[in-house]
């Protein structure tokens, strides 16, 4: 039987990338229109599942086999969700922050909550806008990038524990850590490549806050893996050490045959690991 150390090595060797974030919206067509017209995203695919009374749409800045996407879910008859206090924001990098912000203002359905300007004590120009459902998007002025949909920010109760968890369970690297004592928070950027080139997870710790409400709006992030069974072994060991739990044992989804495993981190944030080859086959069928 392999030792825990040998099992944990798999997450570091596995070729992984962030696939998509899943969250719920109250009016799918309205959100698609807002994201395509204001953010410049493309509608990649859309599907309706009437037997289960939901529809979803995938949007992003490039094809799903190379780029991160958002998966919007609309449940029939539900027009409002609670975002909670734990979910922070998504981020979009753009070469023209002023134009994007003005487009949001003109839309009549989005809201600008922070005008473009440099971050406190820095030179990076950012803005914050809110989509029609209340999800926050940080807009970052940045040069050309292969991945404009660049961050998913979640608040956590113990930053060092969360860093360890995502390093061990997800095979992520700690790309950057920054403490901002003036505003009483610390952030850690976690991911698989440089944050200028890919989508990263931004974990935020607010001094003295150990718990947040999750609401029912944001659902999960999906990450590709070359072997869901080995990956689930890694997660099992990590959750026993640091907290969290596996919520779906590794195996194929009935009717779809895509192999996945799902788990919660110590703060209750959900991640789904998806078999890489199965994911590509799913895209081909779509």
């Amino acid at each position: 039987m392999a030792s825990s150390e040998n099992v944990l090595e798999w997450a570091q060797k596995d070729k992984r990338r962030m696939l998509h974030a899943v969250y719920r919206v109250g009016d799918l067509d309205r959100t698609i229109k807002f994201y395509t017209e204001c953010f410049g995203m493309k509608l990649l695919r859309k599907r309706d599942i009437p037997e289960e009374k939901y529809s979803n749409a995938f949007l992003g800045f490039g094809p799903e086999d190379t780029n991160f996407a958002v998966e919007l879910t609309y449940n029939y008859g539900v027009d409002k969700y609670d975002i909670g206090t734990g979910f922070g924001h998504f981020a979009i990098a753009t070469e023209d922050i002023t134009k994007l912000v003005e487009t949001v203002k003109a839309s009549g359905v989005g809201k600008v909550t922070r005008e473009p300007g440099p971050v406190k004590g820095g030179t990076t120009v950012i803005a914050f806008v809110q989509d029609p459902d209340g999800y926050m998007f940080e807009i970052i002025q940045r040069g050309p990038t292969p991945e404009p949909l660049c961050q998913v920010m979640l608040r956590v109760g113990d930053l060092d524990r969360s860093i360890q968890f995502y390093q061990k369970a997800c095979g992520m690297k700690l790309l950057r850590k920054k403490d901002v004592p003036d505003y009483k928070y610390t952030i850690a950027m976690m991911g698989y490549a440089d944050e200028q080139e890919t989508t990263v997870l931004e974990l935020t710790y607010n001094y003295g806050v150990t718990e947040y409400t999750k609401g029912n709006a944001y659902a999960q992030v999906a990450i590709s893996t070359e072997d869901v069974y080995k990956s689930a072994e890694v997660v099992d060991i990590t959750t026993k050490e640091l907290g969290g739990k596996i919520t779906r044992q590794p195996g194929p989804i009935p009717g779809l045959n895509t192999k996945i495993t799902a788990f919660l981190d110590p703060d209750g944030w959900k991640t789904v690991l998806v078999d890489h080859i199965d994911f590509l086959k799913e895209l081909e069928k779509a």
Side-chain angles (χ1 to χ4, degrees):
M1 187 175 174
S3 69
S4 294
E5 289 77 10
N6 290 339
V7 172
L8 288 171
E9 284 175 8
W10 164 251
Q12 310 304 320
K13 295 175 183 175
D14 192 13
K15 291 176 184 173
R16 299 184 178 185
R17 76 175 183 89
M18 302 264 280
L19 298 179
H20 51 252
V22 183
Y23 53 104
R24 301 172 182 96
V25 298
D27 183 329
L28 193 57
D29 290 334
R30 178 187 65 184
T31 304
I32 290 169
K33 186 173 189 286
F34 181 80
Y35 286 9
T36 54
E37 293 183 0
C38 294
F39 294 157
M41 290 189 198
K42 297 169 186 152
L43 174 60
L44 305 170
R45 56 188 168 117
K46 188 178 179 184
R47 60 189 180 190
D48 186 39
I49 319 290
E51 61 272 17
E52 296 187 34
K53 297 185 177 177
Y54 78 88
S55 304
N56 59 13
F58 293 78
L59 293 96
F61 291 95
E64 287 179 74
D65 58 350
T66 55
N67 285 70
F68 190 70
V70 290
E71 179 182 343
L72 310 176
T73 299
Y74 168 70
N75 293 296
Y76 292 8
V78 184
D79 62 5
K80 198 169 183 182
Y81 293 94
D82 173 20
I83 294 175
T85 59
F87 177 78
H89 62 254
F90 300 105
I92 293 173
T94 178
E95 293 181 67
D96 193 340
I97 194 169
T98 303
K99 182 181 176 183
L100 192 154
V101 167
E102 290 305 316
T103 305
V104 170
K105 286 179 182 177
S107 72
V109 291
K111 188 194 300 182
V112 176
T113 61
R114 182 197 192 275
E115 292 288 344
V119 295
K120 181 81 172 176
T123 57
T124 304
V125 175
I126 66 165
F128 274 94
V129 304
Q130 204 169 33
D131 80 358
D133 288 277
Y135 292 101
M136 296 298 298
F137 280 78
E138 180 181 11
I139 312 301
I140 304 169
Q141 180 87 29
R142 188 179 285 177
T145 173
E147 186 48 87
L149 193 51
C150 56
Q151 292 174 9
V152 179
M153 192 276 256
L154 304 172
R155 298 182 178 96
V156 298
D158 181 331
L159 190 58
D160 289 335
R161 177 185 66 184
S162 293
I163 290 169
Q164 283 187 63
F165 184 90
Y166 283 97
Q167 284 175 325
K168 290 186 176 182
C170 297
M172 290 184 178
K173 301 181 181 91
L174 173 60
L175 304 171
R176 176 168 68 96
K177 189 177 179 183
K178 182 181 179 184
D179 186 37
V180 187
D182 287 353
Y183 289 90
K184 298 184 178 179
Y185 73 86
T186 309
I187 62 170
M189 297 297 194
M190 309 290 299
Y192 299 106
D194 187 276
E195 63 181 288
Q196 305 288 323
E197 304 292 325
T198 188
T199 308
V200 299
L201 201 58
E202 178 182 340
L203 304 176
T204 298
Y205 169 70
N206 291 299
Y207 292 8
V209 185
T210 58
E211 283 187 39
Y212 295 93
T213 59
K214 296 290 181 300
N216 60 355
Y218 172 82
Q220 66 210 34
V221 69
I223 296 170
S224 68
T225 174
E226 295 179 301
D227 191 321
V228 296
Y229 299 97
K230 284 184 184 178
S231 293
E233 285 185 62
V234 174
V235 173
D236 185 52
I237 291 167
T238 307
T239 56
K240 284 171 181 170
E241 178 194 352
L242 296 168
K245 65 178 179 180
I246 292 180
T247 55
R248 191 189 191 284
Q249 292 299 326
I253 300 169
L256 197 58
N257 293 322
T258 299
K259 294 183 287 295
I260 69 166
T261 187
F263 58 93
L264 302 180
D265 77 358
D267 290 278
W269 295 116
K270 186 178 179 183
T271 297
V272 177
L273 293 173
V274 183
D275 180 273
H276 174 64
I277 300 298
D278 290 349
F279 178 69
L280 294 180
K281 287 178 182 173
E282 199 179 314
L283 290 181
E284 284 174 14
K285 289 177 187 173

